[in-house]
Amino acid sequence: FLEVHNQVGKNKALARFKSIYFKVDLVKRKVEPKAAYKLKKSFQVDIARQFKRGVFKIFLEERERQFGDGSSSRFDFIRQFSRYNIGDLPVLYFYRQMGGMFIAKEWSESPELFMKKEERMKYLLDDFNFFEFELLGHVIGIPSSQDYYHTYDLYVKETTNRKERFFKGFKAIEHFNDFDLTLNVFKD
C-alpha cells in the first residue's frame, strides 16, 4: 500500500518493527519467515490463537475509543478470551475474488478500524450478533454477542449474499496460514 506513495521504508515506526516470526524488509518489500516460524500443525494452531486474541483486543480498544463502551459487561466474553485466554471464539476471514481494491492514501499510512455504520463499506455486516471490519484489505468477522451461535446460520447466509460479488467465501481461522497475511490475491 505504501509503495504507491513512495513511503516504503520511510515510516520510522514501521522501520523499527521487529518480529520473532518474520523478517520484514521494507526497502525490498519482502516478508520472509524466520526459523521460529514453523508449518507444523501445533505451531500454526497456537499462533492462530494468538492472532485471534489480538483481533478481539483491537475490537475492544476501538469500541472504547469510538463509543466508550469497550469495558461494558456485554463484552466480558471477549475479555475472557482475549486477555485471559479462556474459551475460544471464531474469527472469520473473507477471501477476495479479485486482487484489486481502492483505498484512501490516509488509510494506508494510518490504518483505521471503522465501526460506525455510515463510514463502512456496504458489504460489511454488523448484525446477527457479528461485527465485520476491513483493515488494510483484510475483511474479518467476529462475534459481538455471547449468543452469536444462535444466529450463526442467519449471519452466514446474509454475509455470503452481501459479499458474493467481491469475495469467494470465508473460513474460520484455525491455522495461521488460513489468514492471507501478504494478500496473495493481489499477485493473481
Side-chain angles (χ1 to χ4, degrees):
F1 292 121
L2 297 176
E3 178 182 5
V4 176
H5 306 294
N6 200 22
Q7 295 296 311
V8 174
K10 293 182 180 178
N11 185 317
K12 299 300 180 199
L14 285 176
R16 290 188 308 265
F17 173 77
K18 301 288 183 221
S19 169
I20 62 171
Y21 300 122
F22 300 100
K23 180 181 181 218
V24 179
D25 188 331
L26 295 172
V27 175
K28 294 180 183 176
R29 295 182 289 280
K30 289 177 91 174
V31 177
E32 297 175 349
K34 290 182 177 179
Y37 185 83
K38 298 173 181 59
L39 296 175
K40 292 180 184 175
K41 183 179 177 181
S42 61
F43 176 81
Q44 287 290 314
V45 169
D46 291 345
I47 195 171
R49 186 171 179 84
Q50 291 174 8
F51 171 77
K52 290 176 7 176
R53 290 176 61 206
V55 166
F56 282 103
K57 285 179 184 178
I58 290 170
F59 172 78
L60 289 175
E61 289 172 7
E62 283 300 303
R63 282 297 303 200
E64 185 62 33
R65 186 179 72 80
Q66 294 184 34
F67 296 103
D69 68 351
S71 57
S72 166
S73 62
R74 103 180 218 220
F75 298 125
D76 283 348
F77 77 106
I78 292 176
R79 245 182 307 288
Q80 288 176 345
F81 175 63
S82 65
R83 291 184 182 164
Y84 308 115
N85 202 16
I86 297 171
D88 195 14
L89 294 173
V91 172
L92 306 177
Y93 182 73
F94 294 87
Y95 293 96
R96 292 187 176 279
Q97 281 189 18
M98 297 171 279
M101 60 183 278
F102 294 103
I103 187 167
K105 179 181 176 187
E106 297 80 32
W107 294 354
S108 65
E109 292 172 347
S110 180
E112 295 181 42
L113 187 74
F114 298 105
M115 294 188 138
K116 296 175 180 148
K117 286 188 178 189
E118 65 274 1
E119 296 174 339
R120 304 177 68 225
M121 287 70 167
K122 299 289 185 207
Y123 53 76
L124 296 179
L125 196 60
D126 183 9
D127 206 352
F128 304 103
N129 297 324
F130 275 82
F131 174 76
E132 297 175 351
F133 61 92
E134 183 165 348
L135 185 63
L136 291 176
H138 300 286
V139 175
I140 296 172
I142 60 172
S144 57
S145 168
Q146 192 167 358
D147 299 325
Y148 71 90
Y149 47 87
H150 292 302
T151 56
Y152 183 79
D153 292 337
L154 291 171
Y155 164 71
V156 166
K157 182 179 178 183
E158 180 63 27
T159 196
T160 301
N161 288 340
R162 192 174 285 202
K163 292 176 182 58
E164 68 184 350
R165 290 183 47 216
F166 306 105
F167 296 85
K168 53 185 166 186
F170 70 91
K171 181 172 184 158
I173 293 178
E174 296 174 14
H175 301 91
F176 187 68
N177 283 349
D178 293 340
F179 181 74
D180 185 10
L181 179 68
T182 58
L183 285 169
N184 283 319
V185 70
F186 288 110
K187 294 178 183 175
D188 296 341

